Amino acid sequence: MGRPSLAAERREQILRAAARSVARYGLAGSTQERIAAAAGMSRSHVRHYAGNRDELIDALWDHVITPYFASMRAALNDREPAARLPALVDYLFGPQMARNEDDLVIEALISGAMHDVRLRGRIYDSYGRLEREIAGTIRDAVPGCGPAESLQLAYALICMAFGHSTLAPLPFPATRQAGMKALAAQLLAALEARHRPTGTDGTGTPEPEPAGDTGARG
């Protein structure tokens, strides 16, 4: 594999510096001058490699959120549809979602989006895509589940997972964390039960008839 281009290296350097700045100073406090200083570059270099402030913020959002989406896809790929739901729960409530500095960046950007319609749309597009991907995973695993129901459940799982991650640093008992994961699994199990064909054991195989007296009656 060839060596990454200088432009790609510089851009990555700027994005890492921007992430550190936003995590520490928030979005409003992360001026291009401050980011340039953190990256060891001039402001003109930041503009050259990462664009204007809006373009830099867009690139920063992609920088911190894309790895989560990619790792979720990797956790679900190469699995049979029915096996993807437990893998999805394991991912959403597992160590991959543990708190780290990127969470501070994500939260700062979401907070900043309250006053920036353009950024709000960018973030909504990302989470909307995540919602649709999870809903598609649910429908693949649960035949008969419709788009509206799968999207509603996908949204609930996202809210549970991100809320769980946000509160994880607080000293709640470990049972709270385990209970949240179990609740997510129960929601999916209830969905599967609702759409299970009548008279089957959940695999499409008819359930055996109850044993009874088959002899002639006198």
Side-chain angles (χ1 to χ4, degrees):
M1 181 181 296
R3 185 173 181 272
S5 70
L6 178 62
E9 289 183 353
R10 292 289 184 266
R11 183 178 174 84
E12 180 68 17
Q13 184 178 348
I14 291 166
L15 292 175
R16 289 197 300 266
R20 292 194 303 271
S21 177
V22 171
R24 182 172 181 181
Y25 301 108
L27 184 59
S30 296
T31 61
Q32 284 193 312
E33 289 80 3
R34 178 167 273 164
I35 292 170
M41 300 180 191
S42 68
R43 186 173 182 273
S44 61
H45 278 107
V46 170
R47 289 184 62 85
H48 174 72
Y49 290 113
N52 61 31
R53 180 172 172 78
D54 285 349
E55 291 168 334
L56 175 56
I57 291 172
D58 285 349
L60 177 60
W61 172 254
D62 289 340
H63 175 76
V64 294
I65 203 68
T66 298
Y68 287 101
F69 292 2
S71 58
M72 185 189 78
R73 293 184 193 114
L76 303 182
N77 284 346
D78 301 323
R79 295 178 184 270
E80 293 297 322
R84 290 176 191 161
L85 294 187
L88 175 65
V89 172
D90 286 343
Y91 177 82
L92 291 175
F93 298 91
Q96 302 91 333
M97 294 290 288
R99 294 286 294 178
N100 58 56
E101 190 172 85
D102 283 347
D103 290 321
L104 298 176
V105 181
I106 291 169
E107 289 161 10
L109 290 170
I110 291 175
S111 178
M114 294 175 62
H115 309 288
D116 185 335
V117 174
R118 186 202 57 79
L119 178 58
R120 190 185 314 158
R122 177 86 176 194
I123 293 173
Y124 173 73
D125 285 345
S126 295
Y127 280 108
R129 186 170 69 252
L130 176 63
E131 181 188 54
R132 291 190 296 274
E133 288 189 18
I134 292 176
T137 297
I138 292 170
R139 289 196 300 275
D140 287 344
V142 186
C145 178
E149 187 176 25
S150 64
L151 284 167
Q152 186 64 55
L153 183 51
Y155 179 76
L157 291 173
I158 291 170
C159 291
M160 291 170 67
F162 282 85
H164 171 73
S165 176
T166 299
L167 296 179
L170 301 178
F172 285 107
T175 52
R176 297 284 194 279
Q177 299 180 16
M180 183 61 71
K181 180 178 179 180
L183 180 58
Q186 289 169 18
L187 288 174
L188 290 169
L191 177 74
E192 291 180 294
R194 284 199 301 276
H195 291 281
R196 185 173 298 147
T198 304
T200 71
D201 60 6
T203 64
T205 304
E207 294 178 351
E209 292 293 331
D213 182 4
T214 57
R217 295 182 181 274

